[in-house]
Amino acid sequence: AAEYWAGRMLEIDAAALRRPSRFDALARKLGLGKDRARASDDDDSEASPPPTRPVAYAPMWMGEPDKQLDWGWSVKDGVAMMAIEGPLVEHGGYGLCDFMHGYDTIAAAIDEFDADSSAKGGIIHMDTPGGPVASGIYELAAKIQARGPDAKPIWVVCEMACSAGYWIASQFDRVIAAPAGILGSIGVVMVHVNQAGALEKAGIEVTSIEAPEEGFKTDGASWKALSPEGRAALQSDINELMTAFAETVEKGRGPKLTAEKAKALRAQVFPGTHADKSRDAVALGLADSVMSEQQAFEALRAEVNASNIIPIRAAAKAGVTAAPAASMPAKAGATTETDMTKREQRVAAVMAGKTSAKTDKEKLDEIQTILDSEEEETGDESAEADEDEPAAETDEDDEDQPAAVAPKRKAAVVDPAVAQAVLALPEAVGREKLANRLAFKPGMTVEEAKADLSAAPRKSAFTDRVADPGLSANGGPALTPAQKDHAAAFAAAGVPMRKRG
């Protein structure tokens, strides 16, 4: 039978026997590989081959990826996508046909994602019934936990995240249930098969000679019943694993799904959404929301792109436009670097999903509230200074225009839904700075932003290398009269003018 199926496999994929896998050893035994079978050939006698890379995951709706990484990631618009499908194993690699992810290969994929600058956020498509409780799963969970709140976000979209699959999924920044997804099975199982009765009927008697005498060396063997002491010991071991499972889930999910709540689910599996809230994965804390994979991609793409403009918006709230916090002197009425760091930490916590906000609109609303509250805290101290600041002329279309001190004015209201839609426009790719400015311009519509972005040139690596024709003979900027006025405003505010060229 093995020879028949090996032959069928060769008809489908002629390179099947050349892949480093356990199947290669079996093929040699059958005389189908590059070498004839040898008496010494045995699966257990050969060193395991290094794990081979999985095929990069790129769903059709994504289109052509911008980049593909080694461990199964496809990167598009700053979002990396990867799939964990099928049963999990401790050590990943190719089986008879498909690649099976192991705890080691998932860890390698996370390292690769964190190291790649093109990936700003990640989505893992998970469709697995689980796998064994092995040392690798503890190490993988600890690795994900150690990434911390400042790491790039990774969301997991669950078609099926059960048992060991949920053990892993619960550690990521956001757990999303697919519309027909199922999650749970938070439990551990060990099976003992007692074949003593069948052996007796067949006239087979098994005798074991053990030392120490009356010990537990063969407790758990299939040819005899478990002793009461053996059963109690195994139950204690299973309970210990269950405690570790539940506590790991709590570390990932926090108060949404504590260890006690996880145990109270009694290893049941739940759909992502259900009219009966006692059967609803979101209501029970197993998942944060229900979205399709494509919806999750669009939401994460908007989030990671929106995060780029937060420091600029915070600076604008303090009365200075487009000036980095690190370059601003500590003076009366200005936001110091320490204050900016605190604000950015609060905003980063929202963007990382560590607060109670659920939807992207709620997140943007919460960020707006944070920035408004910071302005109220510093507004009274800087009111007198701001009134004396000269107004600055700014050019909306010139991204290299120096920053200028703006007069104090009432904070404008920005529609978060419009901002998110503008940042998600295909026309924003290569025009990120302009897109960030348009997204948070009061009164801006998606249609107007799309038209402005379409008319603007895309940024390229070549553009950064072109010499500035506006340089003076000594290499400094040849200032126009308006720019000289801007420079005087900068000097009065104590803000150094940004150099060009």
Side-chain angles (χ1 to χ4, degrees):
E3 183 174 3
Y4 168 76
W5 286 111
R8 290 291 303 275
M9 182 177 294
L10 286 174
E11 293 175 4
I12 298 172
D13 183 4
L17 300 182
R18 293 197 294 272
R19 290 200 186 97
S21 69
R22 296 289 188 179
F23 181 72
D24 190 46
L26 173 62
R28 287 199 305 273
K29 291 179 181 180
L30 299 172
L32 297 173
K34 56 187 177 182
D35 300 320
R36 299 294 296 179
R38 301 186 301 270
S40 60
D41 284 343
D42 186 87
D43 286 349
D44 296 330
S45 66
E46 294 185 350
S48 298
T52 50
R53 304 300 204 257
V55 176
Y57 177 68
M60 290 183 64
W61 54 260
M62 175 191 280
E64 185 67 23
D66 300 329
K67 184 178 182 180
Q68 292 188 335
L69 308 183
D70 286 341
W71 284 108
W73 297 101
S74 290
V75 184
K76 181 76 170 180
D77 298 340
V79 178
M81 295 197 66
M82 161 183 148
I84 299 176
E85 299 176 326
L88 296 169
V89 291
E90 186 173 3
H91 302 293
Y94 275 95
L96 289 179
C97 297
D98 296 329
F99 184 89
M100 298 178 67
H101 257 301
Y103 307 133
D104 57 345
T105 59
I106 297 173
I110 292 173
D111 285 339
E112 182 181 44
F113 166 81
D114 286 337
D116 192 274
S117 59
S118 67
K120 302 175 185 177
I123 289 180
I124 295 177
H125 172 93
M126 182 170 286
D127 189 2
T128 175
V133 180
S135 59
I137 198 169
Y138 290 92
E139 296 165 1
L140 176 57
K143 181 183 190 66
I144 300 171
Q145 293 163 9
R147 296 180 71 244
D150 297 329
K152 295 184 289 187
I154 298 180
W155 298 358
V156 55
V157 177
C158 305
E159 294 288 348
M160 177 189 295
C162 295
S163 196
Y166 190 79
W167 190 316
I168 297 169
S170 63
Q171 303 310 297
F172 290 109
D173 298 286
R174 182 176 295 187
V175 180
I176 299 169
I182 56 174
L183 305 88
S185 190
I186 302 176
V188 189
V189 63
M190 178 185 295
V191 177
H192 174 258
V193 178
N194 180 7
Q195 298 177 336
L199 292 173
E200 184 179 358
K201 288 182 179 180
I204 299 174
E205 181 179 350
V206 180
T207 302
S208 63
I209 313 300
E210 304 177 29
E213 297 180 25
E214 299 182 358
F216 298 93
K217 185 68 174 178
T218 59
D219 242 7
S222 62
W223 42 265
K224 69 176 186 179
L226 272 173
S227 67
E229 297 85 354
R231 181 182 178 87
L234 293 177
Q235 185 64 60
S236 176
D237 295 344
I238 288 292
N239 291 344
E240 187 74 9
L241 292 175
M242 178 63 214
T243 298
F245 191 169
E247 290 177 351
T248 303
V249 168
E250 181 175 359
K251 289 179 181 178
R253 301 294 295 158
K256 293 180 182 178
L257 189 59
T258 64
E260 290 306 314
K261 289 179 181 178
K263 290 180 179 179
L265 298 177
R266 301 181 65 185
Q268 295 182 84
V269 174
F270 301 90
T273 181
H274 200 290
D276 180 359
K277 295 307 177 184
S278 67
R279 296 288 306 159
D280 187 292
V282 175
L284 293 171
L286 288 159
D288 298 305
S289 58
V290 177
M291 283 191 280
S292 70
E293 185 180 58
Q294 186 172 1
Q295 288 173 330
F297 175 87
E298 297 294 344
L300 183 56
R301 179 171 65 175
E303 177 170 307
V304 297
N305 289 326
S307 64
N308 294 335
I309 52 84
I310 296 306
I312 298 175
R313 293 187 66 205
K317 287 289 184 180
V320 179
T321 60
S327 67
M328 292 191 297
K331 71 181 188 66
T335 303
T336 65
E337 181 177 358
T338 302
D339 291 335
M340 182 66 71
T341 301
K342 290 179 180 178
R343 183 188 292 113
E344 289 179 352
Q345 288 176 348
R346 293 176 63 190
V347 171
V350 177
M351 299 305 295
K354 302 301 183 184
T355 66
S356 59
K358 297 294 182 62
T359 67
D360 296 302
K361 184 179 185 303
E362 289 172 340
K363 279 190 173 185
L364 290 171
D365 288 342
E366 188 167 349
I367 291 170
Q368 187 72 46
T369 301
I370 291 173
L371 297 178
D372 289 341
S373 65
E374 292 289 346
E375 183 182 46
E376 292 170 1
E377 292 171 6
T378 59
D380 294 339
E381 298 176 3
S382 59
E384 183 177 351
D386 285 339
E387 289 177 358
D388 296 331
E389 295 287 359
E393 299 175 9
T394 59
D395 186 354
E396 286 293 329
D397 296 325
D398 184 4
E399 295 186 10
D400 291 330
Q401 185 71 21
V405 178
K408 181 175 178 63
R409 59 185 182 274
K410 184 178 180 180
V413 177
V414 176
D415 187 346
V418 173
Q420 179 180 339
V422 171
L423 294 172
L425 286 172
E427 290 80 6
V429 177
R431 306 179 180 97
E432 284 77 8
K433 289 185 179 179
L434 179 59
N436 288 335
R437 187 163 64 242
L438 294 175
F440 291 92
K441 182 178 179 180
M444 176 60 63
T445 66
V446 178
E447 291 73 17
E448 292 173 347
K450 184 175 182 179
D452 291 346
L453 289 168
S454 299
R458 290 183 184 273
K459 183 178 179 182
S460 66
F462 177 76
T463 304
D464 297 335
R465 299 187 181 95
V466 176
D468 191 335
L471 293 178
S472 63
N474 62 2
L479 300 180
T480 65
Q483 290 173 334
K484 290 179 181 179
D485 293 339
H486 294 167
F490 275 118
V495 180
M497 182 175 177
R498 188 172 61 188
K499 294 183 179 180
R500 301 174 66 201

